[in-house]
Amino acid sequence: MATIEEILEVERLEENIFRGIATETMLPRTFGGQVAGQALVAAVRTVEPRFAVHSLHGYFLRPGNPAMPIVYLVDRIRDGRSFVTRRVSAVQDGQAIFTMSASFQVADVGIEHQDEMPVVPPPDSLPFASESEDPEIAWLAREWSDWDIRIVGHGEVDRIRGAAAQQQAWFRSRRTLPDDPVFHVCALAYMSDMTLIGSAMTPHPGVEIDSASLDHALWFLRPFRADEWLLYDQTSPSAGFGRGLAQGRIFDRKGNLVAAVVQEGLTRFLRTT
């Protein structure tokens, strides 16, 4: 498996054109987090360092071929004094498979508040995903072998009153990553697609569905490192008409809310014909 450094090291072909590598995977299509992470790296490469990305909004248009590299076309939508906007199209075989808008901002000050971190078992007290008897959890450890993933047991989840579906997981890179904060942001964009739409399935054990990410939005709220423990608190407030909505809050070990995620995914019944 490629390392996260290799995955995010996109090649510059022209001023606003980049190419990301294909990576070994057990998935039938390109992992959505890989496309989002590489697209964000391409966008970052066209922005002055004094601007930090604070949000991205992406749509998955077609399944990506995991055996093919992806070309990223960056459109410089706006260069302002406080905000910068970029639009990125991910292309394979001449067709867009993903489109993303990313917004960047210079450092600023204002009001501050955040949600409290849920009360969950510390990651060191939870088993490795590779040791799980649940084949889906054990598969996570094989697919993302560079990442230490610890799933909070259903009986240990800090339940939100009235929430229809909820799950929680700790994760971090197994290796120390580069110190560049931008690298950690792009690494989180990669990992933010991991397990999120699965939260919609927690009330439906054993139901087989056709699952895929449809759109993905991510807000970066506070500094963090992806090689230190992060708690991914996930809920699914609604599912219907073959689509599931999922929300995620990402906290660091100290309880700081570092990112927020919203995703809609395909959750239709598996077709047999």
Side-chain angles (χ1 to χ4, degrees):
M1 297 288 185
T3 66
I4 189 64
E5 292 95 334
E6 293 169 332
I7 292 169
L8 296 180
E9 186 53 43
V10 300
E11 176 188 4
R12 190 172 220 139
L13 303 179
E14 293 285 351
E15 183 67 18
N16 300 311
I17 304 175
F18 302 83
R19 179 169 57 201
I21 66 168
T23 63
E24 181 183 355
T25 179
M26 293 179 286
L27 294 167
R29 47 186 168 240
T30 306
F31 173 51
Q34 175 184 327
V35 186
Q38 290 180 342
L40 183 57
V41 172
V44 166
R45 299 277 176 86
T46 69
V47 176
E48 294 180 23
R50 65 191 182 95
F51 291 93
V53 61
H54 70 88
S55 68
L56 64 85
H57 297 71
Y59 284 90
F60 297 93
L61 307 176
R62 295 179 178 87
N65 183 343
M68 291 181 59
I70 303 171
V71 173
Y72 297 92
L73 312 176
V74 181
D75 191 0
R76 301 181 184 227
I77 299 296
R78 178 176 184 264
D79 287 284
R81 288 180 296 180
S82 299
F83 288 88
V84 166
T85 305
R86 294 291 184 263
R87 183 169 58 215
V88 185
S89 297
V91 178
Q92 281 185 331
D93 272 340
Q95 292 187 314
I97 64 170
F98 176 76
T99 183
M100 181 189 79
S101 294
S103 182
F104 300 75
Q105 182 191 18
V106 293
D108 212 335
V109 293
I111 63 171
E112 292 189 22
H113 65 261
Q114 69 155 73
D115 286 350
E116 289 187 6
M117 180 179 173
V119 179
V120 297
D124 299 333
S125 71
L126 298 172
F128 294 101
S130 58
E131 298 173 350
S132 175
E133 296 180 358
D134 185 327
E136 292 188 9
I137 296 176
W139 176 84
L140 291 175
R142 296 194 300 272
E143 178 66 23
W144 289 282
S145 57
D146 256 10
W147 297 84
D148 189 349
I149 302 170
R150 312 286 181 98
I151 305 298
V152 177
H154 291 303
E156 298 177 293
V157 171
D158 186 10
R159 298 290 176 185
I160 299 174
R161 182 178 174 84
Q166 189 176 0
Q167 66 180 11
Q168 294 166 331
W170 290 96
F171 69 93
R172 68 175 177 181
S173 170
R174 292 185 181 277
R175 296 177 297 102
T176 300
L177 299 177
D179 288 332
D180 181 6
V182 176
F183 183 89
H184 291 264
V185 164
C186 295
L188 186 61
Y190 173 87
M191 285 300 286
S192 64
D193 190 41
M194 186 268 306
T195 74
L196 182 54
I197 198 60
S199 63
M201 293 308 300
T202 57
H204 312 281
V207 177
E208 294 187 353
I209 63 165
D210 184 9
S211 177
S213 302
L214 296 175
D215 61 18
H216 194 82
L218 176 57
W219 293 264
F220 303 99
L221 306 176
R222 290 172 180 82
F224 63 90
R225 291 187 64 97
D227 53 8
E228 296 178 353
W229 284 115
L230 297 171
L231 175 69
Y232 206 166
D233 179 44
Q234 305 169 345
T235 60
S236 176
S238 178
F241 303 97
R243 303 185 313 276
L245 181 66
Q247 302 171 338
R249 301 180 301 168
I250 300 177
F251 296 85
D252 68 14
R253 189 76 181 267
K254 296 179 180 179
N256 297 306
L257 180 59
V258 302
V261 194
V262 176
Q263 182 182 87
E264 188 177 46
L266 194 66
T267 55
R268 66 189 178 197
F269 291 127
L270 194 63
R271 296 173 179 173
T272 58
T273 58

